[in-house]
Amino acid sequence: MTRLARFPWLAALIALTCALFFLVPLAATINFSLRMKRGEITLDAYRWVFQDTRFLEVLGFSALASLAAIALGAVLVVPTAYWVRLKLPHLRPLTEFLSLMPLIIPPVVLVFGYVRIYGTSSLLPLTMTDTGTNLLLVIGYTVLSLPYMYRAVDNGMGAIDITTLTEAAESLGASRARTIATVIFPNVRSAILSGAFLTFSISLGEFVITSLLNRPAFGPYLVQMGQDYAYQPAALAILSFAFTWVCMVLMDYFASRKPGQGLLAFRKTKS
C-alpha cells in the first residue's frame, strides 16, 4: 500500500492524457492513409506518393534549402552568442529580444518586406532570378529559426567556460577566428545540432514564405495535395512526421556523444 500511495498518479494521468492527445490523431491519420481502397488496408497512398516525381523534387529542394539555412544560422549565431557572452554581457537582454522578433512578426509580413526591398525596382533585385529568390528563401528560413537556434547555442555557451577556453587558446597562439572554429564550435556541438534539427523541422514544412516566393518546396506541395486529393495528403503527413522523428533520433545520437576536445585538437595541430 505504501508503494501505491507514493506512486505519482497525478503526474502519470497528465502524461497519459498528453500522450493520447498526440497519439490518437496520429493513429487516426495512419488509419485513414491506409483506406485508399474501400474496405481494404493498403499502402496505395504511399506508393502513389513515392511514384510522384514532384515529391522527390520538392523534398530534395526543401532539404537543401533547410541545410543551407542551418549552415547560415550557425555561422551567424555562434560567433554572435560567443562575443556577447565574452565581451558584451550587458547586451544579452537586447540580443535575446531581437532573437525573439521572428515569433512576433508574421512570416507574411517578412516575405512582403523581402519582395519590396529586393524586388524589381530595388538596387539589388534578387527576386528577378531563381538563384536570388532561393537565397531570399534561405534567409527567410534562417530568420524563422533564429529564436530556436539562438536559444540552443546560448544555452550551450552557458554550459562551458568560454573565458577560460579563450584564454587557453590565445595563450597557444590562436587567433579569435581560430578559437571560435577549433575550440568553441566543437564544445557547443550538441547545442548547434539541437538548433539545427529544429531549424530543419521548421523549414521543411514552411508554407507562407515558400509560397509567396513561388519556390517548388515541400510545404506548398503538401497544401496543393490537400486541395486535390484525400488519402495522399494523409500519407504525406505521416511521412513528414516520420522524417521529423528520424531527425530527432539523430539529434539525440549526436548530442549524446562526447564532444570533441577543441583545445586538444588545436594543440595537436600546433605541434
Side-chain angles (χ1 to χ4, degrees):
M1 291 295 295
T2 304
R3 291 183 177 179
L4 291 176
R6 292 180 178 177
F7 186 79
W9 293 104
L10 180 60
L13 180 61
I14 294 175
L16 179 61
T17 303
C18 294
L20 291 176
F21 181 79
F22 288 104
L23 293 177
V24 171
L26 179 63
T29 304
I30 294 174
N31 179 67
F32 183 77
S33 68
L34 298 175
R35 302 288 182 175
M36 192 169 179
K37 289 185 178 179
R38 186 180 299 275
E40 297 182 20
I41 296 179
T42 177
L43 296 175
D44 287 353
Y46 294 89
R47 295 192 190 98
W48 191 98
V49 169
F50 282 108
Q51 290 173 357
D52 185 11
T53 56
R54 285 191 60 213
F55 169 70
L56 295 179
E57 291 176 0
V58 299
L59 187 61
F61 179 88
S62 293
L64 289 176
S66 301
L67 292 175
I70 290 171
L72 180 60
V75 169
L76 292 176
V77 169
V78 174
T80 301
Y82 165 75
W83 191 253
V84 169
R85 277 189 171 269
L86 185 66
K87 296 293 185 180
L88 303 170
H90 61 282
L91 291 182
R92 280 196 65 203
L94 177 61
T95 55
E96 290 179 356
F97 172 76
L98 293 176
S99 69
L100 294 176
M101 289 299 291
L103 298 178
I104 302 172
I105 302 175
V108 65
V109 176
L110 180 68
V111 69
F112 269 115
Y114 286 161
V115 173
R116 294 289 297 176
I117 294 174
Y118 302 106
T120 56
S121 59
S122 69
L123 296 177
L124 190 62
L126 294 179
T127 57
M128 296 299 293
T129 62
D130 288 339
T131 302
T133 308
N134 292 338
L135 178 60
L136 282 181
L137 179 66
V138 171
I139 293 173
Y141 285 171
T142 304
V143 172
L144 287 183
S145 62
L146 184 61
Y148 312 99
M149 178 65 80
Y150 182 83
R151 290 287 175 174
V153 172
D154 188 60
N155 291 335
M157 293 281 184
I160 62 176
D161 190 351
I162 60 173
T163 303
T164 301
L165 289 173
T166 301
E167 292 175 353
E170 289 180 346
S171 67
L172 294 171
S175 63
R176 189 56 56 85
R178 190 169 185 184
T179 299
I180 296 175
T182 61
V183 178
I184 302 302
F185 260 99
N187 281 281
V188 295
R189 182 182 62 183
S190 298
I192 295 174
L193 285 171
S194 299
F197 285 115
L198 288 172
T199 300
F200 192 86
S201 300
I202 294 170
S203 303
L204 187 67
E206 201 283 327
F207 171 74
V208 176
I209 295 179
T210 310
S211 178
L212 292 178
L213 289 178
N214 195 25
R215 294 294 85 197
F218 184 73
Y221 173 76
L222 181 59
V223 173
Q224 184 63 44
M225 291 286 291
Q227 296 175 352
D228 297 338
Y229 302 96
Y231 300 95
Q232 290 86 340
L236 279 172
I238 297 302
L239 291 174
S240 177
F241 178 81
F243 194 67
T244 303
W245 270 99
V246 169
C247 291
M248 297 297 291
V249 170
L250 289 174
M251 180 184 70
D252 181 70
Y253 170 73
F254 286 109
S256 61
R257 295 176 63 186
K258 186 178 180 180
Q261 301 296 325
L263 191 57
L264 294 177
F266 174 72
R267 284 177 178 174
K268 291 180 180 179
T269 57
K270 185 71 175 178
S271 60

